[in-house]
Amino acid sequence: MEITLHNTLTRRKEPFAPSDPSRVTMYVCGPTVYNFAHVGNARPPVVFDVLFRLLRHVYGENAVIYARNYTDIDDKIIAASIQRGVPIDEITRDVERQYDADIAALNVLVPTRRPRATENVPAMVAVIEKLIAKGAAYVVPSGVYFSVAADEDYGKLSGRSQDELKAGARVEGEDDKRHPSDFALWKASKPGEPSWSAPFGAGRPGWHIECSAMIEEELGSPIDIHAGGVDLIFPHHENEIAQSESAHGHPLARVWMHNGFLTMDKEKMSKSIGNIVTPHELLDEGWQGETIRYALLSAHYKAPLDWNDDLLDQAQKSLDRIYGAALRLKDVEPAAADAPAAFVQALADDLNTPAAIAELSVLVTNANNARKPAEQAKAKAELLAATNLLGVLQDDPERWFRASFGDQAAEIDALVAERVKARAEKNYAESDRIRDELAGRGVEVMDSATGSTWRRKG
Ligand code: AMP
Ligand code: ZN
């Protein structure tokens, strides 16, 4: 199975060939842990979770090493700590836990490694020392800066010219840097801020060096795939490349992947604009994590995706159909069958999730139409294998439908039980009446040899 991926660095879709198929490495820039993640922040962990699943499918479960970090030291975190009067590590540990819980609800697998920036400061100091020794970085009173002029390649990822880079690169407190687009590797210690000792003066790391150092520490470079949101191309990933490649003399990553923005009314969902929806509140409103995940996967990862209730409603309907098929085959023992080639091929084509979802719909139809036991066993196996790759149908079908009816589920259970009793007593008028009442609530009862189950009417 050949995987092709769009590489931001070459601006082309390319066949993917890991440098060592028994050790495929990927890194995704993780959250800055200062407040709740919004659904846009959940897009990278969800889409690259599908990539992780696909790579494991192709190269083997233990052959893929996936690292996603926590940025737990940053200007925004320090500001939040001062504003709320809460110690930094209390905020970061809390938000980290919340983040993990939120994305676990979206069926995101736990990455192989989850380094924290604050636990890797010595590795950052080591890279900075290397850069200073090579003349690629310099020390001034406000900190240590990377010298963009010393790097001929600078701008290759984002495609920006040195002239373009000069514009708008001023940051408060960095007046002593030599060139406007030089960026901080290390910020000299300020009163009341956390700081670490270093040969070039006490201080704290800049954001970009955190990822460069953690990649080196956790995976070693070059890595096979580096990914994140499209807003990270510049300056974050450009600067990661500049630092790592200047320090180590070889590429940081071979393939760079970037997901498009989640928008609301066509505007980027962002904390600073304030147009945000969080998985946390959607889960509180009774949406299932899997519905949020499915909605996020309904567009190609590179395309923008506009978030609205209609998108969630559609996702819920599609999942109800998938769960309905699974419920129908509840008592069928699945055969030994893999996900069909057409489905895997769709994902292998630069993670084309809309095409994969279309193939999945065919599998659902097959499952619904299967009558012979052998057909049903194969259809069920294919449905399970395909949905595992996409990370959906991870719930028990009966629980799924119960959960989607929220508080009404217990009443529906009671009605279904009454109907079973009426049938046992051969009171068919009553059992038909209850069936009609349930139908009025959008519920379909399915009777089988082992009892009665119910689902949302398709
Ligand atoms: P942050 O916590 O702001 O550093 O963002 C974490 C991740 O979410 C990064 O990979 C961003 O590129 C990504 N991200 C932020 N906003 C959006 C959005 N509206 N749509 C898609 N990805 C986003
Ligand atoms: Zn990063």
Side-chain angles (χ1 to χ4, degrees):
M1 173 76 51
E2 182 173 87
I3 298 178
T4 57
L5 300 173
H6 183 271
N7 187 350
T8 308
L9 189 61
T10 59
R11 293 156 182 79
R12 276 202 316 261
K13 216 156 91 169
E14 300 168 343
F16 174 65
S19 50
D20 175 1
S22 69
R23 189 178 179 280
V24 182
T25 49
M26 65 183 267
Y27 183 91
V28 173
C29 295
T32 303
V33 280
Y34 70 105
N35 66 10
F36 283 131
H38 56 67
V39 205
N41 297 136
R43 196 175 186 193
V46 167
V47 300
F48 298 117
D49 177 69
V50 175
L51 178 61
F52 183 38
R53 288 169 187 262
L54 175 69
L55 293 172
R56 283 157 55 107
H57 178 79
V58 173
Y59 295 97
E61 291 242 323
N62 298 317
V64 187
I65 308 179
Y66 170 22
R68 191 189 62 223
N69 72 295
Y70 300 101
T71 294
D72 60 350
I73 182 71
D74 175 84
D75 293 346
K76 289 182 207 146
I77 299 174
I78 295 170
S81 161
I82 293 167
Q83 195 195 342
R84 288 157 52 187
V86 177
I88 285 181
D89 53 355
E90 210 170 291
I91 294 184
T92 55
R93 292 298 181 270
D94 253 17
V95 175
E96 210 179 280
R97 261 193 302 277
Q98 194 56 60
Y99 180 84
D100 287 345
D102 285 349
I103 63 167
L106 310 192
N107 298 344
V108 171
L109 298 174
V110 177
T112 331
R113 310 269 172 82
R114 288 180 292 167
R116 292 184 178 122
T118 54
E119 290 170 358
N120 287 279
V121 176
M124 298 165 201
V125 169
V127 183
I128 298 171
E129 281 199 275
K130 241 181 172 174
L131 290 170
I132 295 171
K134 291 191 168 192
Y138 57 90
V139 187
V140 289
S142 75
V144 183
Y145 293 90
F146 183 87
S147 174
V148 166
D151 181 6
E152 282 174 9
D153 270 356
Y154 193 75
K156 71 177 172 187
L157 180 71
S158 57
R160 294 181 187 215
S161 69
Q162 291 275 353
D163 286 344
E164 282 175 279
L165 294 170
K166 279 179 199 148
R170 285 253 165 241
V171 176
E172 210 182 321
E174 297 189 346
D175 298 334
D176 52 357
K177 64 183 185 184
R178 291 181 193 156
H179 187 284
S181 47
D182 290 352
F183 57 89
L185 299 170
W186 191 255
K187 304 180 183 205
S189 161
K190 290 197 199 117
E193 287 190 356
S195 83
W196 286 261
S197 60
F200 35 78
R204 62 184 169 93
W207 172 33
H208 318 305
I209 197 73
E210 296 177 3
C211 286
S212 281
M214 285 186 276
I215 289 170
E216 207 55 38
E217 197 68 4
E218 299 292 332
L219 305 172
S221 62
I223 57 171
D224 291 310
I225 300 168
H226 192 318
V230 66
D231 53 338
L232 300 188
I233 295 176
F234 187 86
H236 186 53
H237 289 165
E238 194 74 75
N239 292 354
E240 280 187 37
I241 290 178
Q243 301 159 155
S244 291
E245 300 191 358
S246 300
H248 307 303
H250 59 245
L252 171 60
R254 296 157 70 237
V255 181
W256 288 83
M257 294 175 73
H258 294 98
N259 65 271
F261 285 141
L262 193 76
T263 58
M264 267 172 91
D265 294 326
K266 308 282 180 229
E267 192 171 29
K268 179 193 175 188
M269 185 181 285
S270 126
K271 281 170 203 160
S272 55
I273 300 173
N275 58 345
I276 62 167
V277 179
T278 65
H280 198 67
E281 65 201 12
L282 292 171
L283 294 168
D284 272 354
E285 283 169 23
W287 291 103
Q288 314 226 43
E290 215 171 283
T291 308
I292 303 170
R293 178 186 180 95
Y294 191 98
L296 286 171
L297 295 175
S298 62
H300 188 263
Y301 76 93
K302 272 168 58 67
L305 172 63
D306 207 46
W307 191 261
N308 51 53
D309 283 348
D310 204 37
L311 186 71
L312 279 171
D313 282 334
Q314 284 306 323
Q316 164 100 48
K317 283 206 177 73
S318 304
L319 284 169
D320 282 347
R321 185 166 170 265
I322 296 168
Y323 274 101
L327 190 57
R328 191 186 296 277
L329 300 181
K330 170 167 94 83
D331 299 323
V332 172
E333 188 62 39
D338 207 346
F343 176 86
V344 185
Q345 207 77 64
L347 287 184
D349 178 15
D350 194 26
L351 285 190
N352 192 340
T353 51
I357 283 172
E359 291 297 336
L360 180 56
S361 174
V362 175
L363 299 183
V364 172
T365 305
N366 290 347
N368 284 337
N369 293 341
R371 292 289 171 270
K372 294 194 187 106
E375 283 170 9
Q376 292 187 330
K378 179 162 180 276
K380 181 168 181 177
E382 291 186 341
L383 185 65
L384 292 177
T387 48
N388 272 341
L389 269 171
L390 215 49
V392 299
L393 190 59
Q394 306 293 295
D395 202 352
D396 170 74
E398 289 180 49
R399 204 168 44 220
W400 170 267
F401 285 110
R402 289 180 58 81
S404 75
F405 273 89
D407 296 342
Q408 282 188 50
E411 289 169 32
I412 296 170
D413 280 346
L415 283 167
V416 171
E418 271 177 46
R419 183 171 162 277
V420 169
K421 186 159 162 274
R423 270 161 57 101
E425 291 164 357
K426 302 206 164 24
N427 184 350
Y428 295 116
E430 175 66 358
S431 87
D432 286 352
R433 187 196 64 76
I434 297 173
R435 174 181 288 263
D436 290 346
E437 182 176 343
L438 287 166
R441 292 178 174 230
V443 173
E444 178 185 357
V445 185
M446 302 200 299
D447 301 311
S448 76
T450 56
S452 294
T453 54
W454 58 268
R455 64 175 187 173
R456 188 183 292 279
K457 263 200 311 201

